[in-house]
Amino acid sequence: MFLIHFLDVGRGDSIILQFENGRTYLVDSNEVAGKTTPFEYLTQILGVKELETVVVTHPHRDHIQGIQRIIEHIPTRQIWLSGYPWESQIHKNLTFALEQRQNIRVFFPRSGTFIAEGKDRVQILAPPANLFRGTHSDINNASIVLKVTIVNQRQDTSTSAILGADAELASWMQILMEHGKRLKADLLKVSHHGSQYGSDEEVLAAICPNYAVISVGENLYGHPEASALQIIEKFTSVRTFRTDVNGACVFESDGIEWRYL
Amino acid sequence: MKTTAFLDQINNGYALLLLGENEEETLDVKLSTLAQYISEPVKEGDVLEIIFSKEREVVGASKMIEETKRRHKEAVAIMNRLMYGTSEV
């Protein structure tokens, strides 16, 4: 059984993927006082002893806080970075530490890449080979966007989830152009905490998820924004979850359907 | 009190500033507040000097242009070394 955990980390993202082959991925990390950190969730709740992959979708603070501690304390085989150079001290410390640690492979995934995890697949939808320049937010549009496909070989069926990171319209339009109707997924991690810049009607119509999850916490920015919620709810057929309302959201899939636990 | 701040994000009229030695402290400041002290628009990635009052209100701000450039150059060099094994690409 495949498990996906959307952690409640306040205004930020942290997602854990547990594949049936025993491998675990961490996608982003954020730490907020008073909430279980991704490190604690991995080690104390899930008992994870090693990570196959840590994905840093992009270098904004609310996606990388705690990553360095995690890779220092949990054996990690590889880390994926967007390649966007960012000048914050926390990002500098992380990249500098990665330069020193030869035992962690650093990978810069680009759209079109597939990774097999047993019978399941991880597909890189974004960023493209050449990162965007001159968009509303180049750093957000450099986000690593993933599509995870869970295969049930006996039934010849599959389920899927798209993790939208903080991708904005420029990135989504590129993804839509490349994938069109194949973008369809059952589960969507809504982009950019429900910002108006992360949800587009044409994109949501293509994905047409059964479930949407918004990773969001208390903020002054108005996330999730009413205009984004309207689009998300219009195209989400079953239910929209919010980590600030529902807490950590955990789903499992056998490749036939998703179940909210 | 003067302090250096890194502008990590701009969202809907607010700048998220990272403060402190390791920039672990965060502060949301309205862009309109910064605009009172900085004539040109601030952008993500700017390094700023912020002056706080005793009540921790922003009472002054300026862009640290040379520090912003220095940090950008350093960040590009580290990323290039990770991506290509050399800082000069």
Side-chain angles (χ1 to χ4, degrees):
Chain A
M1 194 67 77
F2 171 85
L3 284 161
I4 186 165
H5 308 251
F6 298 91
L7 276 54
D8 174 17
V9 290
R11 53 186 227 201
D13 273 14
S14 188
I15 302 159
I16 297 166
L17 314 178
Q18 292 185 293
F19 290 91
E20 210 169 284
N21 65 2
R23 287 181 173 176
T24 303
Y25 283 38
L26 171 70
V27 182
D28 291 335
S29 172
N30 188 44
E31 294 183 343
V32 178
K35 292 189 184 289
T36 305
T37 66
F39 178 73
E40 291 164 345
Y41 197 99
L42 282 163
T43 56
Q44 294 169 24
I45 296 176
L46 298 180
V48 168
K49 299 274 190 280
E50 61 181 15
L51 288 164
E52 170 64 19
T53 301
V54 169
V55 182
V56 180
T57 62
H58 67 294
H60 273 150
R61 182 196 180 276
D62 55 337
H63 294 253
I64 65 170
Q65 181 75 25
I67 292 280
Q68 194 172 343
R69 181 160 69 118
I70 288 166
I71 62 171
E72 281 172 359
H73 291 90
I74 305 176
T76 300
R77 205 174 78 79
Q78 57 182 338
I79 188 163
W80 296 358
L81 303 177
S82 70
Y84 195 91
W86 197 231
E87 300 88 353
S88 69
Q89 193 63 42
I90 183 172
H91 188 245
K92 179 188 163 185
N93 292 347
L94 173 65
T95 49
F96 192 71
L98 288 171
E99 269 198 300
Q100 312 305 314
R101 297 179 70 95
Q102 301 296 320
N103 58 335
I104 301 177
R105 180 177 173 238
V106 184
F107 180 50
F108 299 89
R110 293 294 181 255
S111 61
T113 307
F114 284 87
I115 291 98
E117 286 301 348
K119 60 182 178 47
D120 303 326
R121 289 193 306 272
V122 179
Q123 181 182 5
I124 314 299
L125 299 181
N130 295 314
L131 300 183
F132 290 96
R133 285 175 187 242
T135 66
H136 173 261
S137 173
D138 290 348
I139 183 171
N140 284 336
N141 281 313
S143 288
I144 298 170
V145 178
L146 304 175
K147 183 173 185 179
V148 183
T149 302
I150 314 307
V151 177
N152 187 305
Q153 291 170 321
R154 284 185 194 166
Q155 302 289 328
D156 196 22
T157 57
S158 65
T159 57
S160 56
I162 289 179
L163 309 181
D166 276 7
E168 294 192 353
L169 196 58
S171 177
W172 282 117
M173 285 299 122
Q174 177 80 25
I175 293 169
L176 192 59
M177 196 171 73
E178 286 178 16
H179 300 276
K181 288 181 179 173
R182 285 177 288 126
L183 203 54
K184 171 82 185 89
D186 316 303
L187 177 58
L188 172 69
K189 199 295 287 183
V190 170
S191 181
H192 202 184
H193 323 294
S195 158
Q196 61 174 314
Y197 300 106
S199 293
D200 173 80
E201 191 151 337
E202 206 180 338
V203 174
L204 263 291
I207 299 172
C208 210
N210 298 334
Y211 301 102
V213 179
I214 306 171
S215 187
V216 66
E218 196 178 331
N219 67 88
L220 298 172
Y221 320 140
H223 294 166
E225 292 180 75
S227 59
L229 280 174
Q230 199 176 6
I231 296 170
I232 294 159
E233 285 171 0
K234 181 177 173 183
F235 293 101
T236 301
S237 60
V238 180
R239 187 174 164 188
T240 301
F241 296 86
R242 295 170 52 155
T243 54
D244 60 338
V245 175
N246 305 99
C249 299
V250 184
F251 295 81
E252 67 174 12
S253 181
D254 53 4
I256 299 173
E257 60 178 356
W258 288 98
R259 280 176 294 277
Y260 173 63
L261 303 177
Chain B
M1 186 191 76
K2 277 185 187 177
T3 189
T4 301
F6 178 76
L7 202 170
D8 190 60
Q9 298 180 41
I10 292 175
N11 287 296
N12 289 349
Y14 285 88
L16 175 68
L17 302 182
L18 307 185
L19 310 165
E21 194 181 345
N22 277 314
E23 296 179 352
E24 297 216 336
E25 188 188 340
T26 62
L27 181 72
D28 286 305
V29 177
K30 283 185 177 175
L31 291 176
S32 57
T33 301
L34 295 176
Q36 289 175 30
Y37 308 105
I38 303 173
S39 55
E40 58 191 290
V42 293
K43 59 183 190 307
E44 293 185 350
D46 279 344
V47 182
L48 308 177
E49 183 174 75
I50 303 288
I51 304 172
F52 288 110
S53 68
K54 283 183 184 171
E55 293 74 33
R56 198 140 173 91
E57 286 175 359
V58 175
V59 293
S62 59
K63 281 195 183 190
M64 298 176 73
I65 294 167
E66 290 308 312
E67 177 64 5
T68 301
K69 284 181 188 168
R70 187 195 67 75
R71 281 205 195 189
H72 180 69
K73 201 173 165 184
E74 185 179 55
V76 169
I78 294 176
M79 195 54 76
N80 282 341
R81 288 200 299 272
L82 283 170
M83 287 180 97
Y84 308 111
T86 172
S87 56
E88 291 178 19
V89 176

